[in-house]
Amino acid sequence: AQTVTQSQPEMSVQEAETVTLSCTYDTSESDYYLFWYKQPPSRQMILVIRQEAYKQQNATENRFSVNFQKAAKSFSLKISDSQLGDAAMYFCAYRTSGRGAGGTSYGKLTFGQGTILTVHP
Amino acid sequence: NAGVTQTPKFQVLKTGQSMTLQCAQDMNHEYMSWYRQDPGMGLRLIHYSVGAGITDQGEVPNGYNVSRSTTEDFPLRLLSAAPSQTSVYFCASSPRRWGNSPLHFGNGTRLTVT
């Protein structure tokens, strides 16, 4: 079974600075997908960024970018020019492609424990 | 554009009571799932479905039941509530059962069992 580990329960950053949230995962698969979700106090789950394992190029979405190291099974999220609205719980997630042997793994999403990000003005 | 709708938003139950958490999506998504969120444990998969009439267990299925009679609806039933089921529950769906489509989440239900 896949596992996802976020080793930083809490992180903080000054407004306009850059912060990196860590995520590692364990899998024997070669084809999979990785996501970062943001959960503000409203409890809503918001997709921040996604990465396909077969792509070597790191994904970028405006101020959010990832550092995907497939061999190291690492998937960190970098937030540049941090804003007060970035304060939230961030979850790293792994999703199987589902196209494995036997086809029984229907794209289940496995989450890390979460990192609470505080942004100081 | 409703997306994924969960009801109720909050619920308090006594130990032993049963109830159903409702989930509906209007995006014709193939895949639907239920997660529970507990402090320090992230979100854990309870049950999921890859289409009408097809359901399967996730990581923490005990004490919960699901069915999927239509593409749109995927209710979660608590058979006999226990304090250990106090949690925040999320329903989520995605267009396809395969991995590259992200999940769309409902707004969650906070359940307290006393």
Side-chain angles (χ1 to χ4, degrees):
Chain A
Q2 293 78 25
T3 58
V4 178
T5 301
Q6 294 177 249
S7 59
Q8 306 155 317
E10 297 182 26
M11 291 284 285
S12 64
V13 64
Q14 290 294 130
E15 200 175 3
E17 298 293 311
T18 296
V19 64
T20 298
L21 308 185
S22 300
C23 174
T24 59
Y25 57 94
D26 186 26
T27 184
S28 58
E29 298 176 331
S30 59
D31 186 16
Y32 52 86
Y33 303 89
L34 298 165
F35 304 86
W36 278 97
Y37 280 89
K38 169 186 177 182
Q39 186 181 44
S42 66
R43 205 167 67 196
Q44 187 181 7
M45 293 289 285
I46 302 165
L47 177 67
V48 175
I49 199 166
R50 82 178 90 174
Q51 174 79 43
E52 293 87 345
Y54 63 85
K55 289 187 177 179
Q56 292 188 348
Q57 186 173 6
N58 290 325
T60 299
E61 288 287 343
N62 300 315
R63 297 182 296 106
F64 298 88
S65 61
V66 298
N67 183 4
F68 173 49
Q69 302 286 332
K70 190 172 184 179
K73 296 178 183 174
S74 171
F75 182 60
S76 60
L77 175 69
K78 185 171 83 171
I79 305 174
S80 303
D81 186 25
S82 297
Q83 300 175 359
L84 295 177
D86 294 333
M89 174 85 85
Y90 286 81
F91 290 100
C92 176
Y94 171 107
R95 193 172 196 191
T96 64
S97 69
R99 288 183 285 269
T104 58
S105 178
Y106 290 114
K108 291 186 284 189
L109 195 68
T110 301
F111 287 86
Q113 302 89 333
T115 297
I116 299 172
L117 177 65
T118 302
V119 181
H120 298 289
Chain B
N1 194 5
V4 179
T5 303
Q6 276 185 249
T7 56
K9 288 187 169 56
F10 301 93
Q11 183 70 48
V12 179
L13 290 179
K14 291 187 180 345
T15 297
Q17 287 184 316
S18 63
M19 77 158 295
T20 299
L21 306 185
Q22 300 292 344
C23 176
Q25 52 90 9
D26 61 358
M27 300 173 283
N28 199 32
H29 282 179
E30 179 181 54
Y31 181 91
M32 296 186 76
S33 56
W34 278 101
Y35 286 84
R36 60 177 288 173
Q37 181 180 6
D38 302 292
M41 304 189 76
L43 281 77
R44 292 180 293 168
L45 182 64
I46 304 171
H47 285 285
Y48 65 98
S49 168
V50 298
I54 306 169
T55 64
D56 204 350
Q57 296 180 350
E59 187 184 353
V60 287
N62 292 341
Y64 307 95
N65 212 348
V66 292
S67 60
R68 188 146 178 223
S69 55
T70 66
T71 299
E72 295 78 19
D73 299 300
F74 190 47
L76 177 73
R77 297 182 188 85
L78 279 70
L79 308 173
S80 176
S84 60
Q85 293 179 304
T86 293
S87 187
V88 178
Y89 292 84
F90 286 95
C91 178
S93 69
S94 69
R96 295 177 299 280
R97 65 181 68 182
W98 307 122
N100 68 338
S101 53
L103 294 188
H104 299 250
F105 284 84
N107 288 331
T109 296
R110 180 174 293 280
L111 174 69
T112 303
V113 183
T114 61

